Amino acid sequence: MSVFRPSRWPRVLRSVRMLGLCAAMVVALVAGGCSIPFGLPTSGSVRQLSPVENQPHPVFSSPEGPVDGAGPESIVKGFLAALPTGIQSDGFAVAKSYMTKRAFAGWDFNASVSIYKGSPVYDRVDDEGSGKRTALDLTTECIGSLDAHGIFSVTEQDCGSGYRTERFELAKVRGQWRISKAPAGIVISSDDFMQVYRQVVIYQFPLAKGVPVPDNRWFGWRNWRTLALKELLKGPPAWLRDSVTNFNTAKVSLAVDAVQQVKGSMEIKVSSSFATLSSENKAMLVHQMRMLLGDGNGEFDLRVIDASGIDYSHADDDLTLASGQTSNRIYSLGSSGVVGFNSSNLIRVGQPPVFHEPKGLVFSSNGGALLSDHGQVT
Protein backbone atom coordinates (compact mmCIF):
# COMPACT_ATOMS: atom_id res chain seq x y z
CA MET A 1 0.00 0.00 0.00
CA SER A 2 1.38 3.38 -1.01
CA VAL A 3 0.62 6.24 1.38
CA PHE A 4 0.62 9.88 0.44
CA ARG A 5 0.34 12.63 3.04
CA PRO A 6 1.50 15.93 1.54
CA SER A 7 2.41 18.60 4.04
CA ARG A 8 2.66 22.36 3.84
CA TRP A 9 5.36 22.54 6.55
CA PRO A 10 8.33 22.62 4.12
CA ARG A 11 6.80 25.68 2.42
CA VAL A 12 6.25 27.41 5.77
CA LEU A 13 9.78 26.71 6.97
CA ARG A 14 11.33 27.87 3.70
CA SER A 15 9.35 31.09 3.84
CA VAL A 16 10.46 31.71 7.42
CA ARG A 17 14.10 31.05 6.58
CA MET A 18 13.74 33.46 3.69
CA LEU A 19 12.93 36.23 6.13
CA GLY A 20 15.70 35.16 8.50
CA LEU A 21 13.39 35.20 11.47
CA CYS A 22 14.37 32.30 13.68
CA ALA A 23 12.07 33.50 16.43
CA ALA A 24 9.18 33.71 13.98
CA MET A 25 9.74 30.10 13.05
CA VAL A 26 9.11 29.03 16.63
CA VAL A 27 5.96 31.16 16.79
CA ALA A 28 4.76 29.73 13.46
CA LEU A 29 5.22 26.18 14.72
CA VAL A 30 3.29 26.89 17.89
CA ALA A 31 0.55 28.86 16.20
CA GLY A 32 -0.07 26.35 13.44
CA GLY A 33 1.73 27.99 10.52
CA CYS A 34 1.49 31.01 8.26
CA SER A 35 1.00 30.72 4.52
CA ILE A 36 2.42 34.10 3.45
CA PRO A 37 4.52 35.49 6.32
CA PHE A 38 5.24 38.93 4.82
CA GLY A 39 5.41 41.73 7.36
CA LEU A 40 5.90 39.54 10.43
CA PRO A 41 6.69 41.69 13.50
CA THR A 42 10.18 41.41 14.97
CA SER A 43 9.41 43.23 18.23
CA GLY A 44 6.55 43.98 20.58
CA SER A 45 4.47 42.06 23.07
CA VAL A 46 3.75 38.34 22.72
CA ARG A 47 0.11 37.49 22.00
CA GLN A 48 -1.48 34.13 22.66
CA LEU A 49 -3.14 32.59 19.60
CA SER A 50 -5.60 29.74 19.34
CA PRO A 51 -4.07 26.65 17.74
CA VAL A 52 -5.13 25.85 14.20
CA GLU A 53 -7.12 22.65 13.98
CA ASN A 54 -5.42 20.00 11.89
CA GLN A 55 -7.33 19.09 8.75
CA PRO A 56 -7.95 15.40 8.04
CA HIS A 57 -5.63 13.85 5.47
CA PRO A 58 -7.08 10.82 3.69
CA VAL A 59 -4.75 7.89 3.25
CA PHE A 60 -4.48 6.88 -0.40
CA SER A 61 -4.06 3.16 -0.96
CA SER A 62 -3.36 1.71 -4.35
CA PRO A 63 -6.80 0.91 -5.78
CA GLU A 64 -7.46 -2.40 -7.44
CA GLY A 65 -8.97 -3.05 -10.82
CA PRO A 66 -12.54 -4.15 -11.55
CA VAL A 67 -13.86 -7.41 -10.16
CA ASP A 68 -15.62 -9.95 -12.35
CA GLY A 69 -19.33 -9.38 -12.63
CA ALA A 70 -19.22 -5.73 -11.56
CA GLY A 71 -22.17 -3.68 -12.77
CA PRO A 72 -21.95 -0.38 -14.70
CA GLU A 73 -22.26 1.76 -11.55
CA SER A 74 -19.48 -0.16 -9.78
CA ILE A 75 -17.25 0.24 -12.84
CA VAL A 76 -17.69 4.01 -12.94
CA LYS A 77 -17.26 4.27 -9.15
CA GLY A 78 -14.04 2.25 -9.36
CA PHE A 79 -12.79 4.39 -12.21
CA LEU A 80 -13.36 7.60 -10.21
CA ALA A 81 -11.70 6.07 -7.14
CA ALA A 82 -8.59 5.28 -9.22
CA LEU A 83 -8.17 8.84 -10.58
CA PRO A 84 -6.40 10.40 -7.53
CA THR A 85 -3.76 7.67 -7.60
CA GLY A 86 -3.48 8.10 -11.36
CA ILE A 87 -2.61 11.77 -10.88
CA GLN A 88 -0.22 11.09 -8.04
CA SER A 89 1.68 7.90 -8.82
CA ASP A 90 0.57 5.24 -11.30
CA GLY A 91 -0.10 7.29 -14.44
CA PHE A 92 -3.72 6.03 -14.62
CA ALA A 93 -2.68 2.38 -14.92
CA VAL A 94 -5.55 1.22 -12.69
CA ALA A 95 -8.03 3.64 -14.25
CA LYS A 96 -7.11 2.14 -17.62
CA SER A 97 -8.27 -1.30 -16.47
CA TYR A 98 -11.83 0.04 -16.16
CA MET A 99 -11.87 1.13 -19.81
CA THR A 100 -11.76 -0.45 -23.21
CA LYS A 101 -8.46 -0.01 -25.04
CA ARG A 102 -10.07 2.30 -27.56
CA ALA A 103 -11.68 4.41 -24.82
CA PHE A 104 -8.39 4.85 -22.96
CA ALA A 105 -6.57 5.81 -26.17
CA GLY A 106 -9.16 8.52 -26.86
CA TRP A 107 -9.46 9.80 -23.28
CA ASP A 108 -7.77 13.19 -22.81
CA PHE A 109 -7.06 13.24 -19.06
CA ASN A 110 -5.09 16.48 -19.42
CA ALA A 111 -8.05 18.44 -20.76
CA SER A 112 -9.42 19.77 -17.47
CA VAL A 113 -10.16 18.89 -13.85
CA SER A 114 -13.75 19.08 -12.61
CA ILE A 115 -13.92 19.48 -8.81
CA TYR A 116 -17.05 18.53 -6.88
CA LYS A 117 -18.25 18.21 -3.30
CA GLY A 118 -20.61 15.76 -1.70
CA SER A 119 -21.61 12.41 -3.16
CA PRO A 120 -22.12 11.91 -6.90
CA VAL A 121 -25.49 10.75 -8.19
CA TYR A 122 -25.57 7.95 -10.78
CA ASP A 123 -28.48 7.64 -13.22
CA ARG A 124 -28.66 4.60 -15.49
CA VAL A 125 -29.60 5.45 -19.05
CA ASP A 126 -31.93 3.04 -20.87
CA ASP A 127 -29.89 0.56 -22.89
CA GLU A 128 -32.89 -0.45 -25.03
CA GLY A 129 -32.71 -3.99 -23.73
CA SER A 130 -29.59 -5.07 -25.63
CA GLY A 131 -27.73 -5.99 -22.47
CA LYS A 132 -24.40 -5.23 -24.17
CA ARG A 133 -24.29 -1.42 -24.06
CA THR A 134 -25.51 1.17 -21.57
CA ALA A 135 -24.63 4.56 -20.13
CA LEU A 136 -24.51 6.33 -16.78
CA ASP A 137 -25.08 10.02 -16.15
CA LEU A 138 -22.87 11.24 -13.32
CA THR A 139 -24.22 14.36 -11.59
CA THR A 140 -22.01 16.21 -9.11
CA GLU A 141 -22.31 19.39 -7.06
CA CYS A 142 -19.77 21.52 -8.86
CA ILE A 143 -17.16 23.68 -7.13
CA GLY A 144 -15.14 24.69 -10.19
CA SER A 145 -12.58 23.42 -12.63
CA LEU A 146 -8.95 23.63 -13.64
CA ASP A 147 -8.03 24.16 -17.25
CA ALA A 148 -5.03 22.56 -18.97
CA HIS A 149 -2.82 25.38 -17.61
CA GLY A 150 -3.70 24.76 -13.97
CA ILE A 151 -5.91 27.88 -13.67
CA PHE A 152 -8.94 27.48 -11.41
CA SER A 153 -12.24 29.04 -12.46
CA VAL A 154 -15.97 28.83 -11.94
CA THR A 155 -17.87 29.58 -15.15
CA GLU A 156 -21.45 29.27 -16.32
CA GLN A 157 -20.38 26.45 -18.59
CA ASP A 158 -18.81 24.55 -15.70
CA CYS A 159 -21.29 25.17 -12.90
CA GLY A 160 -24.14 27.25 -14.28
CA SER A 161 -26.79 25.66 -12.04
CA GLY A 162 -24.44 24.54 -9.29
CA TYR A 163 -24.44 21.01 -10.69
CA ARG A 164 -22.69 19.29 -13.55
CA THR A 165 -23.74 16.16 -15.41
CA GLU A 166 -21.36 14.04 -17.49
CA ARG A 167 -22.09 10.84 -19.36
CA PHE A 168 -20.10 7.61 -19.25
CA GLU A 169 -20.85 5.05 -21.95
CA LEU A 170 -20.22 1.39 -21.17
CA ALA A 171 -19.99 -1.80 -23.20
CA LYS A 172 -19.41 -5.46 -22.40
CA VAL A 173 -15.96 -6.86 -23.19
CA ARG A 174 -15.75 -10.65 -22.87
CA GLY A 175 -18.81 -10.53 -20.65
CA GLN A 176 -17.52 -7.74 -18.36
CA TRP A 177 -18.67 -4.13 -18.26
CA ARG A 178 -16.04 -1.57 -19.24
CA ILE A 179 -16.17 2.18 -19.96
CA SER A 180 -16.29 2.63 -23.74
CA LYS A 181 -16.34 6.43 -23.65
CA ALA A 182 -15.42 8.79 -20.82
CA PRO A 183 -15.77 12.58 -20.70
CA ALA A 184 -12.50 14.43 -21.28
CA GLY A 185 -10.56 15.42 -18.19
CA ILE A 186 -10.58 14.37 -14.56
CA VAL A 187 -13.55 14.29 -12.19
CA ILE A 188 -12.38 14.50 -8.57
CA SER A 189 -13.84 15.28 -5.16
CA SER A 190 -12.66 18.38 -3.29
CA ASP A 191 -11.11 16.24 -0.53
CA ASP A 192 -9.07 14.20 -3.01
CA PHE A 193 -8.17 17.33 -4.96
CA MET A 194 -6.59 18.98 -1.92
CA GLN A 195 -4.47 15.89 -1.34
CA VAL A 196 -3.08 15.29 -4.82
CA TYR A 197 -2.85 18.84 -6.16
CA ARG A 198 -0.49 21.55 -5.01
CA GLN A 199 -1.10 25.28 -5.23
CA VAL A 200 1.83 26.94 -7.00
CA VAL A 201 2.50 30.65 -7.48
CA ILE A 202 4.12 31.81 -10.72
CA TYR A 203 5.51 35.25 -9.94
CA GLN A 204 4.77 37.62 -12.80
CA PHE A 205 6.29 41.11 -12.87
CA PRO A 206 4.52 44.31 -13.95
CA LEU A 207 5.90 46.50 -16.69
CA ALA A 208 7.76 48.64 -14.14
CA LYS A 209 9.30 45.49 -12.55
CA GLY A 210 7.87 46.38 -9.17
CA VAL A 211 6.20 44.08 -6.69
CA PRO A 212 5.56 40.64 -8.28
CA VAL A 213 2.00 39.69 -9.14
CA PRO A 214 0.97 36.22 -7.89
CA ASP A 215 -0.34 34.01 -10.68
CA ASN A 216 -1.90 31.08 -8.78
CA ARG A 217 -1.98 27.66 -10.42
CA TRP A 218 -2.70 24.08 -9.32
CA PHE A 219 -0.62 21.08 -10.41
CA GLY A 220 -0.37 17.44 -9.34
CA TRP A 221 2.23 16.90 -6.60
CA ARG A 222 4.08 14.24 -8.57
CA ASN A 223 5.46 16.54 -11.31
CA TRP A 224 4.40 20.04 -10.28
CA ARG A 225 7.86 21.54 -10.83
CA THR A 226 8.04 20.50 -14.47
CA LEU A 227 4.45 21.52 -15.21
CA ALA A 228 4.86 24.88 -13.47
CA LEU A 229 8.10 25.69 -15.31
CA LYS A 230 6.48 24.89 -18.64
CA GLU A 231 3.66 27.29 -17.84
CA LEU A 232 6.13 29.99 -16.75
CA LEU A 233 7.99 29.70 -20.06
CA LYS A 234 4.71 29.98 -22.01
CA GLY A 235 4.36 33.51 -20.69
CA PRO A 236 1.63 35.25 -18.67
CA PRO A 237 -1.97 34.03 -18.96
CA ALA A 238 -4.45 36.02 -21.03
CA TRP A 239 -6.04 37.77 -18.06
CA LEU A 240 -2.64 39.19 -16.95
CA ARG A 241 -1.01 39.71 -20.34
CA ASP A 242 -1.63 43.45 -20.58
CA SER A 243 -0.36 44.19 -17.08
CA VAL A 244 2.83 42.14 -16.73
CA THR A 245 5.95 41.45 -18.77
CA ASN A 246 6.82 38.33 -20.73
CA PHE A 247 10.61 37.97 -20.38
CA ASN A 248 10.79 34.82 -22.49
CA THR A 249 10.99 36.68 -25.80
CA ALA A 250 13.12 33.90 -27.35
CA LYS A 251 10.56 31.13 -26.69
CA VAL A 252 12.93 29.26 -24.40
CA SER A 253 11.72 25.76 -23.49
CA LEU A 254 12.88 22.96 -21.22
CA ALA A 255 15.64 20.89 -22.81
CA VAL A 256 14.98 18.02 -20.38
CA ASP A 257 11.40 17.25 -19.41
CA ALA A 258 12.19 17.11 -15.69
CA VAL A 259 13.70 19.14 -12.89
CA GLN A 260 16.71 17.29 -11.50
CA GLN A 261 18.32 17.49 -8.08
CA VAL A 262 22.11 17.73 -8.44
CA LYS A 263 24.36 18.05 -5.37
CA GLY A 264 21.60 19.40 -3.18
CA SER A 265 20.27 22.02 -5.61
CA MET A 266 17.58 21.98 -8.27
CA GLU A 267 18.86 21.96 -11.84
CA ILE A 268 16.89 23.18 -14.85
CA LYS A 269 18.12 22.50 -18.36
CA VAL A 270 16.77 24.94 -20.94
CA SER A 271 17.02 25.19 -24.71
CA SER A 272 19.95 26.94 -26.38
CA SER A 273 17.69 29.86 -27.34
CA PHE A 274 18.21 31.14 -23.78
CA ALA A 275 21.53 32.62 -24.98
CA THR A 276 19.70 34.98 -27.36
CA LEU A 277 17.79 36.73 -24.56
CA SER A 278 18.92 40.16 -23.45
CA SER A 279 20.89 40.31 -20.21
CA GLU A 280 17.92 41.88 -18.46
CA ASN A 281 15.51 39.20 -19.65
CA LYS A 282 17.95 36.44 -18.68
CA ALA A 283 18.15 37.86 -15.17
CA MET A 284 14.39 38.23 -14.82
CA LEU A 285 13.60 34.77 -16.23
CA VAL A 286 16.12 33.08 -13.93
CA HIS A 287 14.69 35.04 -11.01
CA GLN A 288 11.17 33.94 -11.91
CA MET A 289 12.34 30.31 -11.95
CA ARG A 290 14.09 30.74 -8.61
CA MET A 291 11.01 32.25 -6.94
CA LEU A 292 8.71 29.65 -8.49
CA LEU A 293 10.64 26.62 -7.23
CA GLY A 294 11.53 28.32 -3.95
CA ASP A 295 7.92 29.23 -3.11
CA GLY A 296 8.73 32.93 -3.27
CA ASN A 297 12.27 32.63 -1.92
CA GLY A 298 14.50 34.80 -4.11
CA GLU A 299 17.59 33.14 -2.56
CA PHE A 300 16.56 29.59 -3.46
CA ASP A 301 19.57 27.51 -4.62
CA LEU A 302 19.00 26.87 -8.31
CA ARG A 303 21.10 25.90 -11.34
CA VAL A 304 19.99 26.96 -14.82
CA ILE A 305 22.00 25.43 -17.67
CA ASP A 306 21.31 25.62 -21.40
CA ALA A 307 21.61 22.79 -23.91
CA SER A 308 25.21 23.72 -24.75
CA GLY A 309 26.27 23.55 -21.10
CA ILE A 310 26.48 27.30 -20.34
CA ASP A 311 25.57 28.01 -16.72
CA TYR A 312 23.18 30.95 -16.18
CA SER A 313 22.55 30.26 -12.49
CA HIS A 314 23.94 33.65 -11.42
CA ALA A 315 22.27 35.74 -14.12
CA ASP A 316 20.10 37.43 -11.48
CA ASP A 317 22.84 38.08 -8.89
CA ASP A 318 22.92 41.82 -9.60
CA LEU A 319 19.20 42.16 -10.11
CA THR A 320 17.52 44.92 -8.09
CA LEU A 321 13.76 45.06 -7.85
CA ALA A 322 11.37 47.50 -6.24
CA SER A 323 9.95 46.17 -3.00
CA GLY A 324 6.94 46.98 -0.90
CA GLN A 325 3.25 46.30 -0.94
CA THR A 326 0.31 48.43 -1.93
CA SER A 327 -1.61 50.01 0.92
CA ASN A 328 -4.84 50.16 -1.06
CA ARG A 329 -7.59 48.16 0.58
CA ILE A 330 -9.63 45.69 -1.42
CA TYR A 331 -13.40 45.69 -0.85
CA SER A 332 -15.92 42.93 -1.39
CA LEU A 333 -19.61 42.35 -0.80
CA GLY A 334 -20.45 39.42 1.47
CA SER A 335 -23.67 38.14 2.98
CA SER A 336 -22.95 40.10 6.16
CA GLY A 337 -22.12 43.41 4.49
CA VAL A 338 -19.30 45.22 2.75
CA VAL A 339 -15.92 44.01 3.95
CA GLY A 340 -12.43 45.39 3.45
CA PHE A 341 -9.28 43.31 3.13
CA ASN A 342 -6.26 44.99 4.67
CA SER A 343 -3.26 42.65 4.62
CA SER A 344 -4.55 39.41 6.18
CA ASN A 345 -7.27 41.13 8.25
CA LEU A 346 -10.94 41.09 7.26
CA ILE A 347 -12.83 44.19 8.43
CA ARG A 348 -16.55 44.82 8.10
CA VAL A 349 -17.02 48.40 6.91
CA GLY A 350 -20.71 48.70 6.10
CA GLN A 351 -24.16 47.13 6.08
CA PRO A 352 -25.91 47.59 2.72
CA PRO A 353 -29.60 47.04 1.94
CA VAL A 354 -30.44 43.45 1.11
CA PHE A 355 -30.16 42.84 -2.64
CA HIS A 356 -31.21 39.61 -4.26
CA GLU A 357 -28.39 39.65 -6.81
CA PRO A 358 -26.12 42.70 -6.41
CA LYS A 359 -24.46 43.46 -9.72
CA GLY A 360 -21.42 45.31 -8.45
CA LEU A 361 -19.86 47.79 -6.08
CA VAL A 362 -17.27 50.54 -6.01
CA PHE A 363 -15.69 51.52 -2.70
CA SER A 364 -12.82 53.49 -1.20
CA SER A 365 -11.84 54.45 2.33
CA ASN A 366 -14.32 57.35 2.05
CA GLY A 367 -17.34 55.24 1.16
CA GLY A 368 -18.86 53.92 -2.04
CA ALA A 369 -21.91 52.69 -3.92
CA LEU A 370 -23.74 49.45 -4.69
CA LEU A 371 -25.58 48.55 -7.88
CA SER A 372 -28.71 46.44 -7.32
CA ASP A 373 -30.10 43.83 -9.69
CA HIS A 374 -32.82 46.36 -10.65
CA GLY A 375 -30.30 49.01 -11.71
CA GLN A 376 -30.65 51.05 -8.53
CA VAL A 377 -27.51 52.71 -7.13
CA THR A 378 -27.28 53.03 -3.35
Side-chain angles (χ1 to χ4, degrees):
M1 180 177 73
S2 61
V3 179
F4 175 67
R5 293 187 180 94
S7 172
R8 295 183 178 177
W9 284 114
R11 298 179 64 189
V12 174
L13 295 180
R14 284 196 297 271
S15 297
V16 173
R17 283 199 295 269
M18 175 184 71
L19 296 173
L21 300 175
C22 296
M25 179 175 68
V26 177
V27 173
L29 288 171
V30 173
C34 177
S35 60
I36 307 178
F38 294 130
L40 284 176
T42 57
S43 62
S45 60
V46 176
R47 291 180 298 169
Q48 183 175 354
L49 302 176
S50 300
V52 176
E53 182 180 354
N54 289 329
Q55 298 297 317
H57 291 280
V59 176
F60 286 99
S61 58
S62 298
E64 297 181 355
V67 298
D68 288 346
E73 185 171 314
S74 295
I75 293 297
V76 175
K77 283 184 177 180
F79 173 77
L80 296 181
L83 294 181
T85 305
I87 298 165
Q88 182 55 36
S89 58
D90 74 355
F92 302 103
V94 176
K96 179 181 179 180
S97 65
Y98 287 89
M99 309 176 77
T100 65
K101 291 182 179 180
R102 185 174 181 178
F104 184 77
W107 177 49
D108 182 8
F109 52 80
N110 289 316
S112 63
V113 180
S114 176
I115 309 159
Y116 69 88
K117 64 180 179 180
S119 300
V121 176
Y122 300 86
D123 291 316
R124 184 83 169 261
V125 179
D126 184 16
D127 60 2
E128 298 180 357
S130 67
K132 295 182 180 180
R133 306 190 71 84
T134 190
L136 279 181
D137 282 344
L138 175 73
T139 301
T140 55
E141 188 173 355
C142 179
I143 292 178
S145 65
L146 295 184
D147 65 12
H149 304 288
I151 300 175
F152 177 84
S153 65
V154 181
T155 65
E156 286 292 324
Q157 182 179 358
D158 294 330
C159 310
S161 63
Y163 291 87
R164 178 170 177 158
T165 300
E166 297 173 295
R167 176 162 295 187
F168 289 82
E169 297 180 8
L170 296 98
K172 279 194 173 180
V173 178
R174 292 187 290 275
Q176 304 296 325
W177 286 110
R178 293 294 182 266
I179 296 171
S180 58
K181 185 177 181 181
I186 303 296
V187 181
I188 189 170
S189 72
S190 57
D191 289 338
D192 288 346
F193 176 82
M194 295 304 296
Q195 299 303 315
V196 299
Y197 279 86
R198 184 190 199 275
Q199 188 176 29
V200 178
V201 178
I202 298 176
Y203 292 90
Q204 310 285 0
F205 286 83
L207 303 178
K209 301 182 184 63
V211 179
V213 178
D215 174 10
N216 291 290
R217 309 290 184 98
W218 291 87
F219 301 109
W221 274 89
R222 181 169 58 94
N223 58 345
W224 73 266
R225 294 181 180 87
T226 302
L227 294 174
L229 279 167
K230 286 182 176 180
E231 290 301 323
L232 167 63
L233 294 174
K234 289 176 183 177
W239 69 277
L240 272 176
R241 200 164 292 154
D242 295 334
S243 302
V244 297
T245 306
N246 179 14
F247 301 105
N248 187 11
T249 55
K251 297 183 178 180
V252 176
S253 60
L254 293 181
V256 177
D257 197 20
V259 179
Q260 301 173 325
Q261 187 166 358
V262 179
K263 296 181 180 179
S265 64
M266 292 292 176
E267 181 176 287
I268 303 172
K269 291 189 176 181
V270 295
S271 61
S272 56
S273 58
F274 194 95
T276 65
L277 291 172
S278 67
S279 297
E280 182 181 30
N281 284 1
K282 287 175 185 174
M284 291 302 299
L285 195 54
V286 168
H287 198 66
Q288 281 184 298
M289 294 177 181
R290 195 183 305 280
M291 293 185 70
L292 169 62
L293 296 185
D295 285 328
N297 183 358
E299 304 298 323
F300 183 74
D301 190 11
L302 181 70
R303 296 185 66 200
V304 180
I305 302 172
D306 76 357
S308 63
I310 300 176
D311 193 331
Y312 294 98
S313 306
H314 300 285
D316 61 337
D317 280 359
D318 298 325
L319 185 65
T320 56
L321 297 171
S323 61
Q325 289 180 290
T326 177
S327 59
N328 295 332
R329 183 172 293 171
I330 299 174
Y331 294 89
S332 182
L333 182 62
S335 59
S336 60
V338 178
V339 293
F341 299 85
N342 188 4
S343 182
S344 60
N345 297 320
L346 181 64
I347 303 172
R348 181 176 172 182
V349 298
Q351 178 63 49
V354 177
F355 292 148
H356 175 59
E357 289 184 356
K359 295 299 183 182
L361 80 164
V362 56
F363 258 80
S364 71
S365 58
N366 297 320
L370 291 168
L371 176 65
S372 76
D373 53 340
H374 299 300
Q376 177 186 359
V377 176
T378 300

